[in-house]
């Protein structure tokens, strides 16, 4: 039985137990020698079952907030970790795309540690990575390395290698110019990091490692930042072709879902629908595990 209460997605329980109140505290986690800061949120704990944990990964440069998602997931029964990556918004270290992936992987291992599982009553088999834009890149490329990740959720994900392959470097350079507020060694350092690691970061190259993972992907039809046809669909088409040609039964297949909304990159205009889909995905994948 899952510890998810979908009825509280946009509502709150009338009665709260003073001995198990929902709350939050500051996150201070050391990732490869640098302190990264943020918050940890936990729900009211009226059930005996353990909670899922969702790690929320911000995009570039980290100014877009997804508090509506984190609060909704906390209300339904998830422990939520909201970090600021190295070099972003007060966290120590230098910002690099590969550092963001490493931060996500390190945080997932932290959430999977015995100390964290016990302190926050988290189920070790119910840890999810959720990322928006460049955070989708972090979620995918960290999640593909971790067998215990229950699901990867990508919101208008941004593949930083896409425009390199297309010979349109000016598009990625234009994006990196928005990183003036980040602590880094400059735009050239971030760009060179992408070039050096392009084969490992490219979404379509993650296929072999994620084909049997639970995936929820949101695409924005009118996205002016992420190119759906070049960033999302190559991986998605590989996954669809794989399952179409395979002999696995429906019960053996992971939950893999692509949802496209007629909105821009921030998914404003479909936030409520998106939150419902995310919560349903978490409950569904957790329930499959417990059958």
């Amino acid at each position: 039985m899952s510890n998810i209460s979908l009825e509280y997605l946009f509502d709150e329980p009338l009665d709260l137990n003073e001995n198990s109140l929902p709350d939050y505290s500051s996150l201070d986690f050391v990732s490869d020698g640098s302190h990264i800061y943020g918050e940890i949120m936990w729900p009211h704990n009226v059930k005996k079952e353990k909670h899922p944990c969702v790690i929320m990964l911000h995009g570039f440069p980290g100014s877009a907030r997804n508090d509506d998602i984190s609060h909704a997931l906390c209300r339904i029964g998830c422990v939520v970790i909201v970090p600021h990556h190295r070099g972003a918004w007060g966290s120590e270290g230098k910002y690099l795309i590969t550092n963001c992936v490493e931060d996500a992987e390190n945080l997932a291992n932290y959430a999977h540690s015995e100390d964290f599982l016990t302190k926050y009553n988290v189920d070790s088999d119910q840890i999810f990575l959720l990322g928006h834009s460049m955070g989708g890149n972090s979620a995918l490329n960290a999640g593909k390395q971790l067998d215990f990740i229950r699901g990867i959720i990508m919101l208008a994900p941004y593949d930083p290698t896409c425009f390199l392959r297309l010979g349109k470097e000016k598009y990625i350079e234009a994006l990196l110019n928005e990183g003036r507020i980040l602590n880094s060694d400059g735009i050239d350092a971030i760009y060179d990091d992408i070039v050096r690691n392009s084969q490992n970061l490219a979404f379509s190259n993650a296929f072999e490692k994620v084909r049997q993972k639970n995936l929820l992907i949101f695409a924005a039809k009118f996205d002016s930042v992420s190119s759906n046809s070049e960033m999302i669909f190559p991986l998605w088409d590989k996954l669809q072709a794989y399952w179409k040609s395979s002999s696995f039964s429906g019960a053996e297949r992971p939950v893999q879902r692509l949802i496209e909304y007629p909105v821009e990159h921030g998914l404003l205009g479909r936030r409520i629908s998106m939150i419902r889909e995310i919560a349903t995905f978490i409950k569904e994948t957790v329930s499959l595990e417990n059958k």
Side-chain angles (χ1 to χ4, degrees):
M1 183 181 297
S2 68
N3 200 354
I4 297 291
S5 302
L6 292 183
E7 64 269 27
Y8 298 133
L9 195 60
F10 300 109
D11 201 355
E12 295 168 329
L14 293 177
D15 297 315
L16 292 173
N17 185 333
E18 64 179 300
N19 296 314
S20 61
L21 292 173
D23 207 351
Y24 67 93
S25 65
S26 297
L27 170 72
D28 183 353
F29 173 75
V30 179
S31 180
D32 287 345
S34 297
H35 287 262
I36 61 174
Y37 306 118
E39 66 178 337
I40 302 174
M41 306 168 62
W42 59 89
H44 65 288
N45 189 22
V46 295
K47 295 183 179 181
K48 294 181 180 179
E49 292 80 16
K50 295 183 177 181
H51 300 288
C53 177
V54 181
I55 302 170
M56 305 268 297
L57 304 167
H58 65 72
F60 184 90
S63 52
R65 303 285 299 183
N66 289 291
D67 293 341
D68 52 345
I69 303 174
S70 59
H71 281 275
L73 294 183
C74 188
R75 281 196 301 272
I76 67 171
C78 296
V79 172
V80 184
I81 303 175
V82 186
H84 299 298
H85 287 293
R86 267 178 275 175
W89 301 98
S91 289
E92 293 180 349
K94 298 294 179 69
Y95 186 94
L96 289 174
I97 303 304
T98 54
N99 282 354
C100 292
V101 176
E102 290 175 3
D103 290 344
E105 190 171 348
N106 292 339
L107 276 164
N109 282 315
Y110 168 57
H112 197 246
S113 68
E114 193 60 40
D115 287 347
F116 187 93
L117 297 173
T118 301
K119 182 175 181 178
Y120 295 102
N121 194 32
V122 166
D123 190 316
S124 63
D125 294 320
Q126 296 180 12
I127 297 173
F128 295 80
L129 290 171
L130 183 157
H132 171 243
S133 192
M134 198 75 82
N137 171 72
S138 303
L140 179 69
N141 282 301
K144 74 183 184 185
Q145 305 290 348
L146 303 169
D147 292 339
F148 61 82
I149 290 297
R150 190 63 192 163
I152 298 171
I153 304 167
M154 304 163 71
L155 319 179
Y158 187 91
D159 181 344
T161 71
C162 171
F163 292 122
L164 298 180
R165 296 192 305 274
L166 296 176
K168 298 180 179 179
E169 292 85 352
K170 64 180 181 180
Y171 289 98
I172 183 69
E173 290 169 354
L175 173 69
L176 295 183
N177 276 321
E178 297 182 12
R180 296 181 301 274
I181 58 177
L182 299 172
N183 181 29
S184 73
D185 287 326
I187 293 172
D188 289 344
I190 300 174
Y191 180 83
D192 290 344
D193 177 59
I194 296 171
V195 173
R196 287 194 308 271
N197 296 281
S198 60
Q199 288 301 308
N200 189 49
L201 292 173
F203 282 11
S204 59
N205 290 347
F207 165 73
E208 290 293 338
K209 293 184 177 180
V210 301
R211 65 185 182 183
Q212 292 183 311
K213 287 186 178 291
N214 299 311
L215 294 171
L216 176 60
I217 305 173
F218 293 94
K221 183 177 181 179
F222 302 114
D223 201 324
S224 60
V225 177
S226 298
S227 169
N228 296 332
S229 61
E230 299 293 343
M231 297 186 183
I232 297 175
F233 294 151
L235 173 59
W236 181 251
D237 290 344
K238 279 187 177 183
L239 292 168
Q240 293 296 96
Y242 171 75
W243 289 111
K244 187 176 181 179
S245 64
S246 72
S247 58
F248 292 105
S249 69
E252 296 172 304
R253 292 181 58 167
V255 178
Q256 294 182 351
R257 194 169 295 142
L258 172 66
I259 300 171
E260 186 175 44
Y261 290 136
V263 294
E264 248 287 4
H265 187 64
L267 297 158
L268 276 68
R270 288 295 183 273
R271 302 289 296 190
I272 292 174
S273 298
M274 179 179 65
I275 289 170
R276 286 198 180 102
E277 293 287 353
I278 292 170
T280 299
F281 172 79
I282 291 173
K283 185 175 179 65
E284 183 179 356
T285 54
V286 167
S287 297
L288 285 172
E289 174 193 24
N290 290 309
K291 284 185 177 180

